[in-house]
Amino acid sequence: MAASTFFSNSDLPRNNFASLHGVAHEIVGIKLEPIVALPTSCIVGMEVLSQLSAPHDNEQFFQHLSASQSLKLLKAQLATLKNALYVHDLFINLPITVLTEMESFSQLLPMLSPELNIEIVEPESFFELSENLRERAVRHLRILSDRGCRIWLDDVDEAIAHQFLTCRLPLCGIKIDKMAFWRLRATPALAQLVNLCSHIANHVLIEGIESNRDRECALQAGAGFGQGYYWPSMDWPGE
């Protein structure tokens, strides 16, 4: 992934957020979190996230979205960013259910452009699927990959990485969960986890980078990319 040019807060008209409110009234805006190449400190992408009205547990909120709601949210996010989008390297989140339901997958395809990065959230749920649904999910992942989309697994730790080691999915990258990073960053086990992930996909990103010391730690462990509060996000409140 090459370094990209992004837009400023002023590039998004406030009325673009109406479609986000239509998904759920708790969603009040968009946040873009930088994806950074650790060796150069260049921003190479942005993860598209939704801002929720407080107080809300973000992970729990999005875990309870159905496949149709997830698609509606993705459509609203891409519509909001459409007129300001100068880059291809956006990272979007999708649950595995979107890939197992034929109707959802057929609705997803027209939304996607080549070079989008698709993060599969809660990747451990892949192993909770029946054999038929798992095979369908793999077929759909290959279709997305053939269309030029880059597939990532999100929030990976040691246990999840070991599960995917023999799956041979068409993966571009692995994102190591911030909790795993914080737990392992002062130990040789972090480099071991990065090495394990590199056997699953070409690119390894570490989440939870909050200081230059964290950045150096992730870089020394062998990760190519980082994400975290060390690099300020771009936020647009919808109210």
Side-chain angles (χ1 to χ4, degrees), residues 156-158 176-185 190 193:
V156 169
D157 59 16
E158 305 97 312
I176 292 177
D177 181 61
K178 63 183 179 182
M179 300 304 294
F181 170 58
W182 294 340
R183 175 166 44 82
L184 301 176
R185 60 186 161 190
L190 179 62
L193 176 56

Side-chain angles (χ1 to χ4, degrees), residues 176 189-199 201 204-206 218 221-224:
I176 292 177
L190 179 62
Q192 294 169 8
L193 176 56
V194 171
N195 182 62
L196 175 62
C197 291
S198 70
H199 285 82
V204 179
L205 180 152
I206 290 181

Side-chain angles (χ1 to χ4, degrees), residues 19 40 88 134 154 175 226:
S19 57
T40 63
H88 294 292
R134 196 182 303 180
D154 193 22
K175 296 181 75 171

Side-chain angles (χ1 to χ4, degrees), residues 4 10 50 62 130 158 172 226:
S4 303
S10 60
S50 295
F62 291 108
S130 67
E158 305 97 312
C172 169

